[in-house]
Amino acid sequence: MSTSSLLLALLGDARLPSGGHTQSAGLEPALRAGTTAAQVPAYLRARLRTVIRVEAGTAVVARAVAAGGGDLAEVEAAWAARTPSPALRANGRRLGRGYLRVLRTLWPGPVDARARTWSRPVVLGLLAHRAAMAPDDVARLVGYDDVQTVAAALLKLEPQDPLLIAGWVKDLLPHIDEMAAQVAHLHTPEQIPAHGAPLIERWAETHDTTTERLFSA
């Protein structure tokens, strides 16, 4: 296994202390709204076509901008403009702070003082630049992390046969590769995809004010 593959395994591991354990990738509110466990693969495919394509594209662009010495605040603004839900923006920035800690510890170096206000995909793009990750790899990381986050959350929210869920993840790997190939060539903030997911956004807003919940988002 190559070093780049091992790096992907490290960053895609749920045990990485980045705050991912607090997440269900929108699954908890989706289940509350009536989504069934059997519909989870379709839910994941919808996320890969919409919100995760935006996040993966943002990470790829952030990597390119960081490599060129550009202003990542412009990438953050482009991500925010494509993420209309205040709850999703706030959660993305909380996760960004978790990944910023990973970046500062494992790939130390100068970091813009504004980085604490950046979202997860923007910080991941900077991390990808520091770690010399290929653009398609950082896009795969974003997609794989989302799929595994939902899979892990489902085991807690509505326990299923773990091997059944592992099979769902395996079947989605080509979809992750396809999504990554669609965004790997992006270089500028205006190229970041803009795909709406109104139900996911609405569920996120409802979940943000729910007092009895297992996951923060």
Side-chain angles (χ1 to χ4, degrees):
M1 184 180 286
S2 66
T3 300
S4 61
S5 297
L6 289 171
L7 178 59
L8 272 178
L10 169 68
L11 294 173
D13 192 325
R15 293 165 293 188
L16 184 74
S18 62
H21 66 284
T22 68
Q23 304 295 301
S24 75
L27 180 65
E28 186 171 16
L31 292 175
R32 285 178 181 268
T35 301
T36 67
Q39 292 173 316
V40 168
Y43 171 75
L44 281 165
R45 288 192 297 271
R47 285 184 63 85
L48 286 170
R49 290 193 300 267
T50 56
V51 293
I52 299 310
R53 193 163 179 238
V54 173
E55 293 230 336
T58 301
V60 168
V61 169
R63 175 195 172 279
V65 170
D71 188 357
L72 286 173
E74 295 180 7
V75 185
E76 177 68 21
W79 169 82
R82 291 159 174 77
T83 309
S85 163
L88 288 179
R89 291 198 302 271
N91 189 63
R93 286 164 178 157
R94 281 195 299 270
L95 287 172
R97 290 192 290 273
Y99 275 101
L100 184 61
R101 181 170 174 264
V102 172
L103 170 66
R104 283 174 161 159
T105 303
L106 301 184
W107 289 277
V111 177
D112 192 307
R114 297 169 294 177
R116 282 190 59 80
T117 67
W118 292 345
S119 59
R120 178 186 75 136
V122 173
V123 176
L124 273 177
L126 177 58
L127 186 157
H129 165 58
R130 288 268 180 91
M133 290 179 69
D136 55 338
D137 278 347
V138 69
R140 286 191 189 94
L141 172 62
V142 173
Y144 178 76
D145 180 67
D146 192 72
V147 168
Q148 283 286 49
T149 296
V150 170
L154 183 60
L155 289 172
K156 297 179 177 68
L157 294 164
E158 289 194 17
Q160 311 283 315
D161 179 353
L163 280 178
L164 171 67
I165 298 175
W168 291 350
V169 173
K170 178 185 73 69
D171 290 344
L172 284 163
L173 296 180
H175 295 268
I176 295 171
D177 268 343
E178 180 183 4
M179 179 276 297
Q182 291 168 349
V183 301
H185 66 285
L186 305 181
H187 287 88
T188 62
E190 59 269 21
Q191 293 176 322
I192 297 172
H195 298 293
L199 272 179
I200 290 174
E201 292 155 10
R202 188 176 76 187
W203 292 338
E205 292 301 310
T206 301
H207 192 67
D208 198 43
T209 59
T210 299
T211 54
E212 295 182 3
R213 58 187 186 181
L214 186 60
F215 296 97
S216 64

